[in-house]
């Protein structure tokens, strides 16, 4: 089992930045790749970014490429999502997730473990 806890969400104006954090505990010694997903009201959950177990490979959604950066600190069992140039359409609950795949993947069905989510609201 892997437990995930997100933090760092909040209210920010358009054009601003936020940094989300995800703390992992439990079987963190396994080779889990990590991902961030988001879900806005009335919409399906969508992929945001993923990072491989090694941290050498990252993968982004078209909508976040160039604005968001995913990173991980294996020693601290932490994953981060730096979000810059935020837009109102980035407003959503953001979820951290872990997959036993060692590669960065975008399919939510491949992720076994999920956090409770953190709200990000971008005002115009």
């Amino acid at each position: 089992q892997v437990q995930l806890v997100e933090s760092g969400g909040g209210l920010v104006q358009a054009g601003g930045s936020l940094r989300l954090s995800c703390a992992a505990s439990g079987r963190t010694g396994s080779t889990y790749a990590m991902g961030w997903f988001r879900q806005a009201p009335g919409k399906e959950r969508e992929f945001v970014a993923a990072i491989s177990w090694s941290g050498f490979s990252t993968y982004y959604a078209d909508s976040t490429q160039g604005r968001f950066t995913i990173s991980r600190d294996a020693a601290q069992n932490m994953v981060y999502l730096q979000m810059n140039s935020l837009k109102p359409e980035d407003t959503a609950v953001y979820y951290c997730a872990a997959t036993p795949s060692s590669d960065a993947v975008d399919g939510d069905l491949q992720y076994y473990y999920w956090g409770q989510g953190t709200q990000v609201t971008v005002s115009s």
Side-chain angles (χ1 to χ4, degrees):
Q1 291 284 343
V2 176
Q3 293 78 44
L4 304 171
V5 178
E6 304 95 337
S7 62
L11 174 63
V12 64
Q13 289 188 332
S17 298
L18 279 176
R19 186 194 195 205
L20 304 184
S21 299
C22 173
S25 61
R27 295 184 59 184
T28 56
S30 299
T31 56
Y32 290 105
M34 301 294 294
W36 286 95
F37 291 78
R38 66 186 181 187
Q39 188 166 21
K43 295 187 177 181
E44 293 187 355
R45 183 167 58 194
E46 66 173 352
F47 169 73
V48 174
I51 188 166
S52 63
W53 169 73
S54 67
F56 292 146
S57 177
T58 58
Y59 182 37
Y60 295 92
D62 289 343
S63 59
T64 60
Q65 178 77 49
R67 300 188 299 125
F68 291 11
T69 302
I70 188 170
S71 61
R72 69 188 300 167
D73 182 338
Q76 298 295 324
N77 293 323
M78 297 291 295
V79 179
Y80 304 99
L81 185 68
Q82 177 67 45
M83 306 186 294
N84 299 327
S85 302
L86 282 162
K87 306 174 182 180
E89 51 263 43
D90 294 317
T91 295
V93 177
Y94 283 70
Y95 298 92
C96 175
T99 171
S101 168
S102 59
D103 298 326
V105 294
D106 63 351
D108 60 349
L109 295 180
Q110 296 176 273
Y111 287 82
Y112 287 16
Y113 304 105
W114 294 82
Q116 293 300 307
T118 185
Q119 176 70 46
V120 171
T121 302
V122 184
S123 63
S124 58

